[in-house]
Amino acid sequence: MGLLDYFKAPEQAKAAPKVGKSGKKICCSCPETKKLRDACIPEKGEEGCLDLINKHKDCLRAEGFDVK
């Protein structure tokens, strides 16, 4: 491994962003449920929006993401 190879290693180690079944990253998947969840939380808080939060998580899981 030469000096130039040493500096190239970090770029090669970068993993491609994970995409779901629709070909979108997690931030762009399930926009419908995300929009409803995001609108609800400031008004009702997380406790008041658990149904919408769980629907969004279910959608993300259906896309293939590992959501806790």
Side-chain angles (χ1 to χ4, degrees):
M1 178 180 198
L3 185 60
L4 292 178
D5 292 326
Y6 175 77
F7 289 107
K8 290 181 183 177
E11 285 182 29
Q12 294 172 352
K14 291 181 184 176
K18 184 175 178 189
V19 295
K21 293 177 183 175
S22 65
K24 298 177 184 177
K25 295 186 289 183
I26 194 167
C27 62
C28 301
S29 296
C30 304
E32 300 83 13
T33 56
K34 182 179 180 179
K35 182 178 178 179
L36 293 172
R37 178 206 65 183
D38 290 350
C40 180
I41 292 173
E43 293 177 17
K44 299 180 182 179
E46 288 184 25
E47 292 295 320
C49 301
L50 287 178
D51 60 326
L52 294 173
I53 291 170
N54 289 327
K55 284 180 184 178
H56 186 59
K57 287 181 180 181
D58 290 343
C59 181
L60 293 173
R61 287 185 193 108
E63 280 289 311
F65 295 105
D66 183 23
V67 180
K68 296 178 182 179

